Amino acid sequence: INIGPYKMKNTLKTVFVSLIGIILLTSCESNPQNVDVQLEKSAPAPKFTIYTQAINKMGMMTDIYDAIPLKVMTTEVTDNTGTSVATSAEIPRDITEMVKSALNSIGGKITYIPYDPSFLSNNMAVGYSDFSKKIIPDVIVSGGITEFDRGLVTKGDGTNLGLSGTAMGKAVGLSFDDSNKASLARVTLDFNLVDFQTFAGIPRIQAINSIKLNKAVKETNIGFQIIGSSFGVKGDVKKVQGRHAAVRLLVQLSMLQIVGRYQALPYWNLIPGATADQVVVDRVMERFYEMSQTQKIIKFQELLFLTGHEINITGEYDSQTQQALRSFTSKKGLTESDLSANVYWELYSSIPINHEVKHKRNLLKSKGMSVSTQVKQINTPKKVAKQQPQTRPKKQAVEETGELSLWT
């Protein structure tokens, strides 16, 4: 049988294509009816962030510094920009639960009180509860998402390459495309602390924090063309920094600031890379200059004891106190070694936050040697007992009044 070259070529091509088709159809992995995808499996895990440890240690810090007990309630905290709806929840609409979790994780001298008036009123209506045993908050945290700027910076670059020609008498082509796109967004949260008794904002006790969010897209295409047939390979990847996770970071940082500023605590020592908060520095210095000389000596002795020096709290500037001060200032490289403001601040901001120091604080309290007790006994004149308020009906127990003291 005489078969021409052209017909032979077509016959071989048909056989080749048929064999490829049979292989593809009979292969278990390539048969469209047997298509499958493997999913990665992961077990549930606790949520940890870069501020989790700081939040957990904040409660211990309030105990070590013997801060005043603080009862905190939070109002509803939501997205005030309205973009959570417009962007299909790209940022969360309600972050109240994040605020609750952050406050309740602190512990120590901080007590979180839920705000749920409908739940309370419903319980009272059915007789399950009244206000006789309810704790009234000292302060309220209010705030929300105040900024969400999506397109602060948008940039991109790309490479395009195309080649065409002939090979073995046939038209062939090659194309290559590579593109990169990146954008920057920013979310800002505002929080303020409000006195529950007066419903007035507490000056300078607020937190305004922002975080920058990145989004990047990379796409690569490689294409081949022989006559009318085209073959190609495409790959793309899109990476977006989690918006909701970023908001949680802002909430945790803001609660650390709010509590730290209100209690005048060096909370930045709990956050890697953080610097001193001027609001706290000012509060601590105000306290220092309001102390009498005896109060200063007692406070210095207390701080020296908490920083690891064997010293008795006597209220006298004795040789033991002077020696401990010289030892501390020498380690810190300070030129002063007296009862100065600079030395006081170094002492105040250098107390370690661990269980050993907390035990030392408990020893001071058990012996009645905490600075607040000593100062009141030595320098505070006795006050005339206040007249007991008249008894109020139970239904008015929620209106119980009292004086909120910011710094003791």
Side-chain angles (χ1 to χ4, degrees):
I1 301 172
N2 187 13
I3 301 177
Y6 181 77
K7 186 175 291 186
M8 176 63 75
K9 187 183 296 185
N10 287 340
T11 302
L12 292 175
K13 183 178 179 181
T14 303
V15 172
F16 176 75
V17 173
S18 300
L19 288 174
I20 294 298
I22 293 172
I23 293 173
L24 291 175
L25 290 175
T26 56
S27 172
C28 293
E29 295 183 359
S30 301
N31 189 341
Q33 295 179 344
N34 298 324
V35 68
D36 193 11
V37 63
Q38 298 296 324
L39 296 178
E40 294 184 6
K41 297 180 181 179
S42 59
K47 177 72 174 181
F48 292 102
T49 71
I50 58 175
Y51 296 125
T52 298
Q53 185 176 4
I55 287 285
N56 293 337
K57 280 197 169 185
M58 188 65 178
M60 184 181 293
M61 178 176 274
T62 63
D63 287 330
I64 290 174
Y65 278 84
D66 198 21
I68 60 174
L70 182 64
K71 300 180 287 292
V72 187
M73 177 181 285
T74 179
T75 59
E76 190 177 57
V77 184
T78 60
D79 169 30
N80 294 337
T81 68
T83 54
S84 58
V85 177
T87 60
S88 301
E90 188 172 343
I91 58 173
R93 188 195 66 81
D94 192 325
I95 60 174
T96 308
E97 291 300 324
M98 292 186 186
V99 178
K100 292 178 180 179
S101 296
L103 287 172
N104 202 36
S105 297
I106 295 176
K109 296 295 183 68
I110 308 302
T111 301
Y112 162 68
I113 302 175
Y115 173 72
D116 195 339
S118 60
F119 176 78
L120 291 175
S121 60
N122 290 340
N123 275 270
M124 291 180 64
V126 297
Y128 286 164
S129 179
D130 55 31
F131 281 101
S132 61
K133 296 183 179 180
K134 299 297 181 292
I135 299 177
I136 306 301
D138 299 315
V139 293
I140 304 172
V141 174
S142 66
I145 301 176
T146 53
E147 297 177 18
F148 180 42
D149 302 315
R150 301 181 67 193
L152 291 177
V153 178
T154 301
K155 59 182 180 180
D157 57 73
T159 302
N160 298 304
L161 175 65
L163 299 173
S164 61
T166 58
M168 300 178 64
K170 298 185 178 297
V172 296
L174 169 68
S175 63
F176 173 80
D177 296 317
D178 182 76
S179 62
N180 299 282
K181 294 180 181 179
S183 62
L184 181 66
R186 181 177 59 204
V187 178
T188 302
L189 271 62
D190 285 46
F191 289 97
N192 286 281
L193 206 60
V194 178
D195 186 335
F196 182 79
Q197 297 293 337
T198 64
F199 284 156
I202 302 175
R204 302 186 74 187
I205 311 301
Q206 61 185 40
I208 304 174
N209 294 296
S210 299
I211 189 170
K212 293 180 179 179
L213 304 168
N214 295 283
K215 176 181 178 181
V217 178
K218 181 178 178 63
E219 183 174 319
T220 301
N221 294 283
I222 300 177
F224 304 92
Q225 184 178 21
I226 302 176
I227 310 180
S229 301
S230 297
F231 308 90
V233 178
K234 177 181 179 181
D236 61 80
V237 60
K238 178 180 179 181
K239 293 186 177 181
V240 180
Q241 189 175 354
R243 267 61 171 160
H244 292 238
V247 170
R248 182 180 296 276
L249 292 179
L250 287 177
V251 168
Q252 291 179 327
L253 175 60
S254 298
M255 293 307 103
L256 286 170
Q257 285 183 319
I258 287 282
V259 173
R261 287 178 173 180
Y262 185 87
Q263 302 284 40
L265 301 174
Y267 66 89
W268 55 88
N269 290 338
L270 306 175
I271 306 172
T275 57
D277 187 332
Q278 191 59 44
V279 174
V280 176
V281 176
D282 292 343
R283 293 289 184 182
V284 173
M285 288 297 98
E286 287 174 7
R287 289 184 184 182
F288 175 78
Y289 287 109
E290 289 173 357
M291 294 181 188
S292 66
Q293 186 66 12
T294 303
Q295 288 175 326
K296 289 178 181 178
I297 294 173
I298 293 174
K299 190 63 180 178
F300 268 91
Q301 290 174 335
E302 176 188 320
L303 296 176
L304 286 167
F305 178 74
L306 293 175
T307 51
H309 297 82
E310 295 298 329
I311 186 172
N312 296 319
I313 299 180
T314 62
E316 298 179 0
Y317 193 49
D318 50 26
S319 59
Q320 186 185 45
T321 303
Q322 296 176 39
Q323 182 179 354
L325 266 179
R326 285 194 295 269
S327 174
F328 174 79
T329 55
S330 176
K331 291 179 181 178
K332 289 290 184 177
L334 302 176
T335 57
E336 304 169 82
S337 60
D338 55 357
L339 304 180
S340 66
N342 290 335
V343 176
Y344 178 78
W345 172 250
E346 286 295 330
L347 267 172
Y348 188 87
S349 58
S350 299
I351 298 177
I353 307 301
N354 54 50
H355 289 284
E356 181 183 358
V357 180
K358 183 179 178 180
H359 176 66
K360 290 183 177 181
R361 167 61 72 184
N362 291 335
L363 287 177
L364 290 177
K365 295 175 69 175
S366 66
K367 296 178 181 179
M369 298 176 67
S370 65
V371 67
S372 56
T373 304
Q374 293 284 345
V375 168
K376 289 179 181 178
Q377 289 178 349
I378 296 175
N379 291 288
T380 304
K382 294 183 179 179
K383 295 182 180 180
V384 179
K386 293 183 179 180
Q387 184 178 358
Q388 295 294 328
Q390 296 181 354
T391 304
R392 299 180 180 180
K394 279 190 176 181
K395 65 179 182 179
Q396 295 181 353
V398 71
E399 300 175 1
E400 180 183 2
T401 59
E403 183 178 354
L404 176 64
S405 176
L406 283 182
W407 314 111
T408 59

